[in-house]
Amino acid sequence: MSERDEESANPAPGTRRPGGRTARTRAAVRDAVLSGLADHGYPGLTVEYVADHSGVHKTTLYRRWGGLEGMVADALDMAGEDTWTPPDTGSLEGDLRELAREVVDSFSDEAAASAPTAFVAAAFQSQRAADALHAFYAERFGRCETVVARAVARGEAPPDTDAAALVRAVSAPLLLRVFITREPVDAALADQSAAAAVAATREGAFARR
């Protein structure tokens, strides 16, 4: 199959694609987008940069992704296709603590934080990037709801606990510091966030309305 035939079989720009040669091209573009976002941020990212660093011709980039917004959205789509699963420590507080510490690990190191921070910045400048970021976190938080289901089964959380609200509450204080007040985050803060979320859960603060 030629590259053109392969592209014609693909869905709309910025959506999931099959494997093979197309998957390799997609991965190369994703890596170039991540590198560009880390080095220059969304305002400084260009199609020329992605073409130079991915080895994919500009015309193919426009034809397959429609432009930068499609490339950024697809990079987020790919991030959501991983096999990550939430922790299972045997207790609600242990699971939430591990989740919170993962957030800290993602943003406390400057190199590791560069790409996710750039994605958030891009979401403020591109509706398509915002939609993709929303979908990514909705899917990721959805995976975490099993943590709450296990806690309910163990009697650690009320049966009417809103899993999505609880999981978001764990990371919210950390992301506030990262993106709003620009304060450092660490394991102690992660543990505090988890403990506060557990205490609020026991009091029914996350009961479905």
Side-chain angles (χ1 to χ4, degrees):
M1 178 184 288
S2 69
E3 183 178 21
R4 181 178 294 275
D5 290 338
E6 188 177 56
E7 287 162 6
S8 66
N10 291 331
T15 59
R16 285 177 172 80
R17 294 171 173 79
R21 181 181 177 186
T22 300
R24 292 192 296 273
T25 298
R26 187 184 179 206
V29 171
R30 181 270 319 274
D31 292 344
V33 168
L34 291 176
S35 175
L37 287 174
D39 291 344
H40 305 292
Y42 185 73
L45 182 65
T46 64
V47 174
E48 288 76 12
Y49 178 98
V50 176
D52 289 344
H53 288 75
S54 68
V56 180
H57 198 276
K58 284 172 56 177
T59 57
T60 299
L61 294 176
Y62 280 112
R63 184 166 58 240
R64 185 175 292 179
W65 283 273
L68 284 174
E69 287 190 329
M71 289 180 248
V72 171
D74 194 45
L76 275 166
D77 281 348
M78 292 186 75
E81 294 170 14
D82 62 12
T83 58
W84 179 87
T85 57
D88 186 0
T89 65
S91 72
L92 176 61
E93 184 163 358
D95 290 348
L96 297 183
R97 186 185 304 119
E98 290 302 311
L99 286 174
R101 288 188 176 192
E102 286 190 26
V103 174
V104 168
D105 290 342
S106 296
F107 290 102
S108 58
D109 178 77
E110 184 175 349
S114 59
T117 299
F119 276 129
V120 173
F124 281 95
Q125 301 171 69
S126 161
Q127 185 58 51
R128 190 166 184 183
D131 292 342
L133 188 68
H134 172 80
F136 170 80
Y137 276 110
E139 195 275 341
R140 188 53 54 100
F141 286 137
R143 295 191 206 183
C144 294
E145 291 184 11
T146 185
V147 167
V148 182
R150 291 195 300 257
V152 171
R154 290 191 297 258
E156 296 177 292
D160 61 348
T161 298
D162 185 330
L166 171 54
V167 171
R168 284 167 170 77
V170 175
S171 57
L174 304 172
L175 297 179
L176 171 71
R177 290 190 176 221
V178 170
F179 291 110
I180 305 301
T181 63
R182 305 298 293 169
E183 298 174 82
V185 293
D186 55 24
L189 185 64
D191 294 351
Q192 181 187 72
S193 179
V198 170
T201 300
R202 291 170 179 162
E203 294 299 319
F206 298 110
R208 291 187 179 87
R209 304 302 180 190

PDB file of all heavy atoms in Angstrom, residues 91-93 96 145-163 166 197-208:
ATOM      1  N   SER A  91      -5.621  -0.352  50.508  1.00  0.00           N
ATOM      2  CA  SER A  91      -6.393   0.612  51.293  1.00  0.00           C
ATOM      3  C   SER A  91      -6.667   1.845  50.448  1.00  0.00           C
ATOM      4  O   SER A  91      -5.900   2.162  49.515  1.00  0.00           O
ATOM      5  CB  SER A  91      -5.647   1.027  52.565  1.00  0.00           C
ATOM      6  OG  SER A  91      -4.550   1.875  52.249  1.00  0.00           O
ATOM      7  N   LEU A  92      -7.747   2.551  50.769  1.00  0.00           N
ATOM      8  CA  LEU A  92      -8.083   3.761  50.029  1.00  0.00           C
ATOM      9  C   LEU A  92      -7.000   4.814  50.196  1.00  0.00           C
ATOM     10  O   LEU A  92      -6.547   5.413  49.214  1.00  0.00           O
ATOM     11  CB  LEU A  92      -9.428   4.319  50.503  1.00  0.00           C
ATOM     12  CG  LEU A  92      -9.856   5.646  49.857  1.00  0.00           C
ATOM     13  CD1 LEU A  92     -10.009   5.491  48.348  1.00  0.00           C
ATOM     14  CD2 LEU A  92     -11.157   6.152  50.483  1.00  0.00           C
ATOM     15  N   GLU A  93      -6.555   5.035  51.426  1.00  0.00           N
ATOM     16  CA  GLU A  93      -5.547   6.069  51.634  1.00  0.00           C
ATOM     17  C   GLU A  93      -4.247   5.718  50.928  1.00  0.00           C
ATOM     18  O   GLU A  93      -3.587   6.589  50.347  1.00  0.00           O
ATOM     19  CB  GLU A  93      -5.288   6.301  53.128  1.00  0.00           C
ATOM     20  CG  GLU A  93      -4.312   7.438  53.383  1.00  0.00           C
ATOM     21  CD  GLU A  93      -4.350   7.961  54.808  1.00  0.00           C
ATOM     22  OE1 GLU A  93      -5.162   7.476  55.616  1.00  0.00           O
ATOM     23  OE2 GLU A  93      -3.554   8.883  55.105  1.00  0.00           O
ATOM     24  N   LEU A  96      -4.757   6.423  47.171  1.00  0.00           N
ATOM     25  CA  LEU A  96      -4.788   7.854  46.877  1.00  0.00           C
ATOM     26  C   LEU A  96      -3.421   8.497  47.089  1.00  0.00           C
ATOM     27  O   LEU A  96      -3.031   9.409  46.349  1.00  0.00           O
ATOM     28  CB  LEU A  96      -5.838   8.546  47.750  1.00  0.00           C
ATOM     29  CG  LEU A  96      -7.293   8.106  47.537  1.00  0.00           C
ATOM     30  CD1 LEU A  96      -8.226   8.925  48.420  1.00  0.00           C
ATOM     31  CD2 LEU A  96      -7.699   8.240  46.069  1.00  0.00           C
ATOM     32  N   GLU A 145     -11.337   5.282  38.922  1.00  0.00           N
ATOM     33  CA  GLU A 145     -12.568   5.047  39.675  1.00  0.00           C
ATOM     34  C   GLU A 145     -12.612   3.658  40.305  1.00  0.00           C
ATOM     35  O   GLU A 145     -13.332   3.422  41.272  1.00  0.00           O
ATOM     36  CB  GLU A 145     -13.775   5.289  38.781  1.00  0.00           C
ATOM     37  CG  GLU A 145     -13.931   6.765  38.421  1.00  0.00           C
ATOM     38  CD  GLU A 145     -15.183   7.056  37.617  1.00  0.00           C
ATOM     39  OE1 GLU A 145     -16.048   6.160  37.515  1.00  0.00           O
ATOM     40  OE2 GLU A 145     -15.293   8.171  37.092  1.00  0.00           O
ATOM     41  N   THR A 146     -11.809   2.737  39.778  1.00  0.00           N
ATOM     42  CA  THR A 146     -11.749   1.413  40.385  1.00  0.00           C
ATOM     43  C   THR A 146     -11.191   1.475  41.801  1.00  0.00           C
ATOM     44  O   THR A 146     -11.515   0.636  42.640  1.00  0.00           O
ATOM     45  CB  THR A 146     -10.886   0.461  39.515  1.00  0.00           C
ATOM     46  OG1 THR A 146     -10.942  -0.845  40.057  1.00  0.00           O
ATOM     47  CG2 THR A 146      -9.436   0.917  39.469  1.00  0.00           C
ATOM     48  N   VAL A 147     -10.346   2.474  42.069  1.00  0.00           N
ATOM     49  CA  VAL A 147      -9.813   2.671  43.419  1.00  0.00           C
ATOM     50  C   VAL A 147     -10.952   2.898  44.404  1.00  0.00           C
ATOM     51  O   VAL A 147     -10.980   2.343  45.509  1.00  0.00           O
ATOM     52  CB  VAL A 147      -8.838   3.876  43.433  1.00  0.00           C
ATOM     53  CG1 VAL A 147      -8.523   4.299  44.863  1.00  0.00           C
ATOM     54  CG2 VAL A 147      -7.565   3.525  42.679  1.00  0.00           C
ATOM     55  N   VAL A 148     -11.919   3.719  43.990  1.00  0.00           N
ATOM     56  CA  VAL A 148     -13.057   4.031  44.861  1.00  0.00           C
ATOM     57  C   VAL A 148     -13.993   2.832  44.969  1.00  0.00           C
ATOM     58  O   VAL A 148     -14.516   2.535  46.044  1.00  0.00           O
ATOM     59  CB  VAL A 148     -13.805   5.269  44.348  1.00  0.00           C
ATOM     60  CG1 VAL A 148     -14.959   5.628  45.270  1.00  0.00           C
ATOM     61  CG2 VAL A 148     -12.836   6.452  44.211  1.00  0.00           C
ATOM     62  N   ALA A 149     -14.185   2.121  43.877  1.00  0.00           N
ATOM     63  CA  ALA A 149     -15.038   0.933  43.917  1.00  0.00           C
ATOM     64  C   ALA A 149     -14.495  -0.089  44.904  1.00  0.00           C
ATOM     65  O   ALA A 149     -15.264  -0.715  45.669  1.00  0.00           O
ATOM     66  CB  ALA A 149     -15.148   0.325  42.521  1.00  0.00           C
ATOM     67  N   ARG A 150     -13.192  -0.285  44.923  1.00  0.00           N
ATOM     68  CA  ARG A 150     -12.588  -1.218  45.886  1.00  0.00           C
ATOM     69  C   ARG A 150     -12.773  -0.712  47.308  1.00  0.00           C
ATOM     70  O   ARG A 150     -13.032  -1.501  48.236  1.00  0.00           O
ATOM     71  CB  ARG A 150     -11.105  -1.401  45.575  1.00  0.00           C
ATOM     72  CG  ARG A 150     -10.815  -2.150  44.286  1.00  0.00           C
ATOM     73  CD  ARG A 150      -9.363  -2.609  44.225  1.00  0.00           C
ATOM     74  NE  ARG A 150      -8.423  -1.506  44.283  1.00  0.00           N
ATOM     75  CZ  ARG A 150      -7.764  -1.027  43.231  1.00  0.00           C
ATOM     76  NH1 ARG A 150      -7.978  -1.565  42.031  1.00  0.00           N
ATOM     77  NH2 ARG A 150      -6.916  -0.035  43.366  1.00  0.00           N
ATOM     78  N   ALA A 151     -12.632   0.610  47.495  1.00  0.00           N
ATOM     79  CA  ALA A 151     -12.794   1.172  48.833  1.00  0.00           C
ATOM     80  C   ALA A 151     -14.217   0.978  49.341  1.00  0.00           C
ATOM     81  O   ALA A 151     -14.433   0.676  50.515  1.00  0.00           O
ATOM     82  CB  ALA A 151     -12.430   2.655  48.818  1.00  0.00           C
ATOM     83  N   VAL A 152     -15.200   1.162  48.462  1.00  0.00           N
ATOM     84  CA  VAL A 152     -16.593   0.940  48.844  1.00  0.00           C
ATOM     85  C   VAL A 152     -16.795  -0.517  49.241  1.00  0.00           C
ATOM     86  O   VAL A 152     -17.443  -0.825  50.254  1.00  0.00           O
ATOM     87  CB  VAL A 152     -17.537   1.339  47.693  1.00  0.00           C
ATOM     88  CG1 VAL A 152     -18.971   0.896  47.997  1.00  0.00           C
ATOM     89  CG2 VAL A 152     -17.484   2.855  47.459  1.00  0.00           C
ATOM     90  N   ALA A 153     -16.225  -1.427  48.473  1.00  0.00           N
ATOM     91  CA  ALA A 153     -16.368  -2.857  48.764  1.00  0.00           C
ATOM     92  C   ALA A 153     -15.733  -3.221  50.106  1.00  0.00           C
ATOM     93  O   ALA A 153     -16.213  -4.125  50.804  1.00  0.00           O
ATOM     94  CB  ALA A 153     -15.742  -3.682  47.642  1.00  0.00           C
ATOM     95  N   ARG A 154     -14.665  -2.521  50.486  1.00  0.00           N
ATOM     96  CA  ARG A 154     -13.995  -2.789  51.769  1.00  0.00           C
ATOM     97  C   ARG A 154     -14.652  -2.055  52.927  1.00  0.00           C
ATOM     98  O   ARG A 154     -14.240  -2.213  54.074  1.00  0.00           O
ATOM     99  CB  ARG A 154     -12.518  -2.374  51.691  1.00  0.00           C
ATOM    100  CG  ARG A 154     -11.655  -3.259  50.804  1.00  0.00           C
ATOM    101  CD  ARG A 154     -10.176  -2.938  50.993  1.00  0.00           C
ATOM    102  NE  ARG A 154      -9.860  -1.577  50.591  1.00  0.00           N
ATOM    103  CZ  ARG A 154      -9.275  -1.248  49.436  1.00  0.00           C
ATOM    104  NH1 ARG A 154      -8.948  -2.195  48.570  1.00  0.00           N
ATOM    105  NH2 ARG A 154      -9.007   0.006  49.147  1.00  0.00           N
ATOM    106  N   GLY A 155     -15.625  -1.205  52.637  1.00  0.00           N
ATOM    107  CA  GLY A 155     -16.285  -0.438  53.685  1.00  0.00           C
ATOM    108  C   GLY A 155     -15.527   0.812  54.077  1.00  0.00           C
ATOM    109  O   GLY A 155     -15.830   1.423  55.109  1.00  0.00           O
ATOM    110  N   GLU A 156     -14.571   1.248  53.237  1.00  0.00           N
ATOM    111  CA  GLU A 156     -13.787   2.444  53.552  1.00  0.00           C
ATOM    112  C   GLU A 156     -14.427   3.721  53.036  1.00  0.00           C
ATOM    113  O   GLU A 156     -13.983   4.819  53.391  1.00  0.00           O
ATOM    114  CB  GLU A 156     -12.390   2.328  52.938  1.00  0.00           C
ATOM    115  CG  GLU A 156     -11.549   1.206  53.484  1.00  0.00           C
ATOM    116  CD  GLU A 156     -10.210   1.125  52.774  1.00  0.00           C
ATOM    117  OE1 GLU A 156     -10.193   0.781  51.569  1.00  0.00           O
ATOM    118  OE2 GLU A 156      -9.187   1.419  53.415  1.00  0.00           O
ATOM    119  N   ALA A 157     -15.423   3.597  52.195  1.00  0.00           N
ATOM    120  CA  ALA A 157     -16.084   4.761  51.612  1.00  0.00           C
ATOM    121  C   ALA A 157     -17.571   4.478  51.510  1.00  0.00           C
ATOM    122  O   ALA A 157     -17.979   3.325  51.295  1.00  0.00           O
ATOM    123  CB  ALA A 157     -15.516   5.071  50.234  1.00  0.00           C
ATOM    124  N   PRO A 158     -18.421   5.495  51.689  1.00  0.00           N
ATOM    125  CA  PRO A 158     -19.866   5.305  51.559  1.00  0.00           C
ATOM    126  C   PRO A 158     -20.236   4.805  50.166  1.00  0.00           C
ATOM    127  O   PRO A 158     -19.569   5.155  49.183  1.00  0.00           O
ATOM    128  CB  PRO A 158     -20.433   6.711  51.813  1.00  0.00           C
ATOM    129  CG  PRO A 158     -19.368   7.426  52.594  1.00  0.00           C
ATOM    130  CD  PRO A 158     -18.070   6.886  52.068  1.00  0.00           C
ATOM    131  N   PRO A 159     -21.277   4.006  50.058  1.00  0.00           N
ATOM    132  CA  PRO A 159     -21.676   3.463  48.748  1.00  0.00           C
ATOM    133  C   PRO A 159     -22.012   4.532  47.711  1.00  0.00           C
ATOM    134  O   PRO A 159     -21.895   4.276  46.509  1.00  0.00           O
ATOM    135  CB  PRO A 159     -22.908   2.615  49.084  1.00  0.00           C
ATOM    136  CG  PRO A 159     -22.756   2.276  50.534  1.00  0.00           C
ATOM    137  CD  PRO A 159     -22.093   3.463  51.152  1.00  0.00           C
ATOM    138  N   ASP A 160     -22.445   5.717  48.158  1.00  0.00           N
ATOM    139  CA  ASP A 160     -22.841   6.757  47.204  1.00  0.00           C
ATOM    140  C   ASP A 160     -21.693   7.719  46.880  1.00  0.00           C
ATOM    141  O   ASP A 160     -21.918   8.815  46.358  1.00  0.00           O
ATOM    142  CB  ASP A 160     -24.036   7.549  47.736  1.00  0.00           C
ATOM    143  CG  ASP A 160     -23.735   8.276  49.051  1.00  0.00           C
ATOM    144  OD1 ASP A 160     -22.686   7.984  49.662  1.00  0.00           O
ATOM    145  OD2 ASP A 160     -24.555   9.122  49.458  1.00  0.00           O
ATOM    146  N   THR A 161     -20.458   7.314  47.159  1.00  0.00           N
ATOM    147  CA  THR A 161     -19.312   8.178  46.883  1.00  0.00           C
ATOM    148  C   THR A 161     -19.165   8.424  45.380  1.00  0.00           C
ATOM    149  O   THR A 161     -19.183   7.493  44.578  1.00  0.00           O
ATOM    150  CB  THR A 161     -18.010   7.544  47.412  1.00  0.00           C
ATOM    151  OG1 THR A 161     -18.104   7.390  48.835  1.00  0.00           O
ATOM    152  CG2 THR A 161     -16.808   8.420  47.089  1.00  0.00           C
ATOM    153  N   ASP A 162     -19.019   9.680  45.027  1.00  0.00           N
ATOM    154  CA  ASP A 162     -18.792  10.067  43.639  1.00  0.00           C
ATOM    155  C   ASP A 162     -17.311   9.855  43.339  1.00  0.00           C
ATOM    156  O   ASP A 162     -16.458  10.643  43.732  1.00  0.00           O
ATOM    157  CB  ASP A 162     -19.183  11.532  43.433  1.00  0.00           C
ATOM    158  CG  ASP A 162     -19.102  11.979  41.980  1.00  0.00           C
ATOM    159  OD1 ASP A 162     -18.261  11.431  41.244  1.00  0.00           O
ATOM    160  OD2 ASP A 162     -19.848  12.891  41.602  1.00  0.00           O
ATOM    161  N   ALA A 163     -17.015   8.765  42.637  1.00  0.00           N
ATOM    162  CA  ALA A 163     -15.622   8.393  42.403  1.00  0.00           C
ATOM    163  C   ALA A 163     -14.864   9.466  41.639  1.00  0.00           C
ATOM    164  O   ALA A 163     -13.718   9.791  41.971  1.00  0.00           O
ATOM    165  CB  ALA A 163     -15.564   7.068  41.651  1.00  0.00           C
ATOM    166  N   LEU A 166     -13.984  12.408  43.915  1.00  0.00           N
ATOM    167  CA  LEU A 166     -12.940  12.074  44.883  1.00  0.00           C
ATOM    168  C   LEU A 166     -11.566  12.029  44.230  1.00  0.00           C
ATOM    169  O   LEU A 166     -10.600  12.604  44.752  1.00  0.00           O
ATOM    170  CB  LEU A 166     -13.263  10.727  45.539  1.00  0.00           C
ATOM    171  CG  LEU A 166     -12.161  10.117  46.419  1.00  0.00           C
ATOM    172  CD1 LEU A 166     -11.697  11.092  47.486  1.00  0.00           C
ATOM    173  CD2 LEU A 166     -12.656   8.813  47.048  1.00  0.00           C
ATOM    174  N   ALA A 197      -8.421  13.943  51.472  1.00  0.00           N
ATOM    175  CA  ALA A 197      -9.472  13.371  50.636  1.00  0.00           C
ATOM    176  C   ALA A 197     -10.139  12.186  51.326  1.00  0.00           C
ATOM    177  O   ALA A 197     -11.361  12.008  51.249  1.00  0.00           O
ATOM    178  CB  ALA A 197      -8.894  12.941  49.296  1.00  0.00           C
ATOM    179  N   VAL A 198      -9.356  11.377  52.024  1.00  0.00           N
ATOM    180  CA  VAL A 198      -9.922  10.235  52.755  1.00  0.00           C
ATOM    181  C   VAL A 198     -10.830  10.722  53.882  1.00  0.00           C
ATOM    182  O   VAL A 198     -11.940  10.204  54.073  1.00  0.00           O
ATOM    183  CB  VAL A 198      -8.795   9.342  53.314  1.00  0.00           C
ATOM    184  CG1 VAL A 198      -9.375   8.303  54.276  1.00  0.00           C
ATOM    185  CG2 VAL A 198      -8.059   8.645  52.175  1.00  0.00           C
ATOM    186  N   ALA A 199     -10.363  11.717  54.621  1.00  0.00           N
ATOM    187  CA  ALA A 199     -11.178  12.254  55.715  1.00  0.00           C
ATOM    188  C   ALA A 199     -12.491  12.821  55.190  1.00  0.00           C
ATOM    189  O   ALA A 199     -13.559  12.614  55.787  1.00  0.00           O
ATOM    190  CB  ALA A 199     -10.390  13.328  56.465  1.00  0.00           C
ATOM    191  N   ALA A 200     -12.426  13.542  54.096  1.00  0.00           N
ATOM    192  CA  ALA A 200     -13.638  14.105  53.513  1.00  0.00           C
ATOM    193  C   ALA A 200     -14.573  13.009  53.005  1.00  0.00           C
ATOM    194  O   ALA A 200     -15.802  13.109  53.123  1.00  0.00           O
ATOM    195  CB  ALA A 200     -13.272  15.048  52.364  1.00  0.00           C
ATOM    196  N   THR A 201     -14.011  11.951  52.482  1.00  0.00           N
ATOM    197  CA  THR A 201     -14.822  10.827  52.004  1.00  0.00           C
ATOM    198  C   THR A 201     -15.591  10.205  53.141  1.00  0.00           C
ATOM    199  O   THR A 201     -16.797   9.903  53.017  1.00  0.00           O
ATOM    200  CB  THR A 201     -13.913   9.770  51.341  1.00  0.00           C
ATOM    201  OG1 THR A 201     -13.226  10.352  50.249  1.00  0.00           O
ATOM    202  CG2 THR A 201     -14.721   8.585  50.861  1.00  0.00           C
ATOM    203  N   ARG A 202     -14.944   9.986  54.251  1.00  0.00           N
ATOM    204  CA  ARG A 202     -15.603   9.371  55.408  1.00  0.00           C
ATOM    205  C   ARG A 202     -16.747  10.214  55.937  1.00  0.00           C
ATOM    206  O   ARG A 202     -17.720   9.688  56.490  1.00  0.00           O
ATOM    207  CB  ARG A 202     -14.565   9.133  56.517  1.00  0.00           C
ATOM    208  CG  ARG A 202     -13.556   8.041  56.177  1.00  0.00           C
ATOM    209  CD  ARG A 202     -12.433   8.004  57.167  1.00  0.00           C
ATOM    210  NE  ARG A 202     -11.476   6.942  56.864  1.00  0.00           N
ATOM    211  CZ  ARG A 202     -10.241   6.895  57.337  1.00  0.00           C
ATOM    212  NH1 ARG A 202      -9.794   7.856  58.144  1.00  0.00           N
ATOM    213  NH2 ARG A 202      -9.436   5.892  57.004  1.00  0.00           N
ATOM    214  N   GLU A 203     -16.640  11.522  55.750  1.00  0.00           N
ATOM    215  CA  GLU A 203     -17.699  12.426  56.198  1.00  0.00           C
ATOM    216  C   GLU A 203     -18.803  12.615  55.157  1.00  0.00           C
ATOM    217  O   GLU A 203     -19.737  13.379  55.365  1.00  0.00           O
ATOM    218  CB  GLU A 203     -17.095  13.789  56.553  1.00  0.00           C
ATOM    219  CG  GLU A 203     -16.150  13.767  57.751  1.00  0.00           C
ATOM    220  CD  GLU A 203     -16.857  13.313  59.030  1.00  0.00           C
ATOM    221  OE1 GLU A 203     -18.014  13.728  59.251  1.00  0.00           O
ATOM    222  OE2 GLU A 203     -16.259  12.522  59.781  1.00  0.00           O
ATOM    223  N   GLY A 204     -18.675  11.924  54.039  1.00  0.00           N
ATOM    224  CA  GLY A 204     -19.708  12.003  53.007  1.00  0.00           C
ATOM    225  C   GLY A 204     -19.593  13.222  52.113  1.00  0.00           C
ATOM    226  O   GLY A 204     -20.559  13.549  51.419  1.00  0.00           O
ATOM    227  N   ALA A 205     -18.419  13.871  52.111  1.00  0.00           N
ATOM    228  CA  ALA A 205     -18.277  15.094  51.316  1.00  0.00           C
ATOM    229  C   ALA A 205     -18.395  14.825  49.817  1.00  0.00           C
ATOM    230  O   ALA A 205     -18.718  15.741  49.048  1.00  0.00           O
ATOM    231  CB  ALA A 205     -16.922  15.757  51.623  1.00  0.00           C
ATOM    232  N   PHE A 206     -18.125  13.605  49.396  1.00  0.00           N
ATOM    233  CA  PHE A 206     -18.161  13.294  47.978  1.00  0.00           C
ATOM    234  C   PHE A 206     -19.384  12.452  47.594  1.00  0.00           C
ATOM    235  O   PHE A 206     -19.374  11.751  46.585  1.00  0.00           O
ATOM    236  CB  PHE A 206     -16.875  12.576  47.559  1.00  0.00           C
ATOM    237  CG  PHE A 206     -15.650  13.408  47.762  1.00  0.00           C
ATOM    238  CD1 PHE A 206     -14.738  13.074  48.760  1.00  0.00           C
ATOM    239  CD2 PHE A 206     -15.411  14.537  46.999  1.00  0.00           C
ATOM    240  CE1 PHE A 206     -13.617  13.853  48.962  1.00  0.00           C
ATOM    241  CE2 PHE A 206     -14.297  15.322  47.198  1.00  0.00           C
ATOM    242  CZ  PHE A 206     -13.382  14.968  48.193  1.00  0.00           C
ATOM    243  N   ALA A 207     -20.434  12.559  48.403  1.00  0.00           N
ATOM    244  CA  ALA A 207     -21.665  11.849  48.077  1.00  0.00           C
ATOM    245  C   ALA A 207     -22.265  12.412  46.783  1.00  0.00           C
ATOM    246  O   ALA A 207     -22.207  13.620  46.558  1.00  0.00           O
ATOM    247  CB  ALA A 207     -22.666  11.968  49.214  1.00  0.00           C
ATOM    248  N   ARG A 208     -22.781  11.542  45.952  1.00  0.00           N
ATOM    249  CA  ARG A 208     -23.391  12.003  44.708  1.00  0.00           C
ATOM    250  C   ARG A 208     -24.606  12.881  45.008  1.00  0.00           C
ATOM    251  O   ARG A 208     -25.413  12.557  45.864  1.00  0.00           O
ATOM    252  CB  ARG A 208     -23.830  10.802  43.851  1.00  0.00           C
ATOM    253  CG  ARG A 208     -22.679   9.998  43.279  1.00  0.00           C
ATOM    254  CD  ARG A 208     -23.174   8.948  42.317  1.00  0.00           C
ATOM    255  NE  ARG A 208     -22.071   8.186  41.756  1.00  0.00           N
ATOM    256  CZ  ARG A 208     -21.536   7.104  42.316  1.00  0.00           C
ATOM    257  NH1 ARG A 208     -22.048   6.658  43.465  1.00  0.00           N
ATOM    258  NH2 ARG A 208     -20.554   6.463  41.761  1.00  0.00           N
TER     259      ARG A 208
END
